[in-house]
Amino acid sequence: MQGTTPEFIRWALAHECPLRDFPKWKDPNKTERHLRAIRVYQNAVQDSRVLDGIAIEPLVSSDVVPNEVLGFRVDDVFEFYGDPSSVASICEPCPANAVRQSDSQAWVGCFGLMPVSNIVLPDLVDEVPVGTVDLREQLELLLTQQPYLEESIRTCFPRTSPEWYGLWISRVPSIKQRQIQLQVVNELLKVVPCAITPPWEAFQSALRLSVDRKIPLHIQLVPEAVTDGVYWYVDQHCGRCCAISTALTHTGQQCQVCKNEGRPREPQRRFVRGKRPYWKMTRFLGAEGTSKYLERYLKQKG
Ligand SMILES: [Zn+2]
Ligand SMILES: [Zn+2]
Ligand SMILES: [Zn+2]
């Protein structure tokens, strides 16, 4: 799994709830780490990949190597949260469930990752296998057409070039700032030359809920990165606006995007988030158990 990851906005609505009972629960990264497995479980249910309390990864062909196949026990994922029905009863009425605005089944919809660039265009797949839309560029274009929007950005956010970065410098934007961020995202999604993908929609809903229901929103801009499947490498970037520091964007003493003085942050290396909660099925079912499970699963799948 080599490749690049786009710039992201990591977000989480800071709404207190029994599922977010962990240290630094407002932090978007911590929230994702703690709750992502529930989404992974829900995806498996939606794809009919749960049988006898065990979820199995999507199979590319029925020609499976039992020793390689990945899965997880549903009970293991829910160990910390009760069970699926107790999660449902917490998340269904939750005012911070932004994902539920577009997917009525969704639980743990209070956090997400919104890609900023290098997005596959699902509606153009036939013509362009991997197209790119860059919200940073889309914003520059938009502002040339909507000077009043540019004006309100300039009054409420630090000045940056491109203006995109100024919008996300504050980790916990004020309600006034969230109103403008919502306006920006609404306008951007009207003009992007592709279908609106679910992660965009979720962020838009999160901003709307955070404004309408006055729920604080926590944001982290994550710079684009390269991965070799094990690690994830982020280049030097500005510690304030998080723009990648190149010869064009940083003098070594000053960020040219946000004018912050000081050296850029050193390159970072982190583990990729991996396949959790999936792991080798043979590790928890044994070789024979896995073969039997696969037989049953493939049979009912037809
Ligand atoms: Zn809640
Ligand atoms: Zn929640
Ligand atoms: Zn900067």
Side-chain angles (χ1 to χ4, degrees), residues 22-33:
F22 45 81
K24 297 194 184 164
W25 66 274
K26 293 175 183 172
D27 180 274
N29 192 25
K30 292 264 184 309
T31 304
E32 198 214 4
R33 275 171 185 275

Side-chain angles (χ1 to χ4, degrees), residues 30 41 50 87 97 101 115 120-121 160 191 206 210-212 225 246 252 278:
K30 292 264 184 309
Y41 162 75
V50 182
V87 170
N97 192 343
Q101 304 279 310
V120 179
L121 308 180
T160 59
V191 297
S210 87
V211 168
D212 293 351
T246 64
Y278 287 104

Side-chain angles (χ1 to χ4, degrees), residues 142-182:
L142 183 73
L143 295 183
T144 60
Q145 293 147 14
Q146 302 199 7
Y148 71 90
L149 189 58
E150 182 161 53
E151 197 47 48
S152 44
I153 292 178
R154 289 189 178 172
T155 38
C156 286
F157 294 92
R159 189 74 180 268
T160 59
S161 169
E163 298 198 68
W164 174 260
Y165 289 94
L167 288 168
W168 318 109
I169 285 177
S170 169
R171 293 291 190 94
V172 193
S174 67
I175 182 110
K176 179 79 203 151
Q177 288 178 325
R178 270 138 52 204
Q179 279 162 352
I180 296 166
Q181 289 168 339
L182 175 61

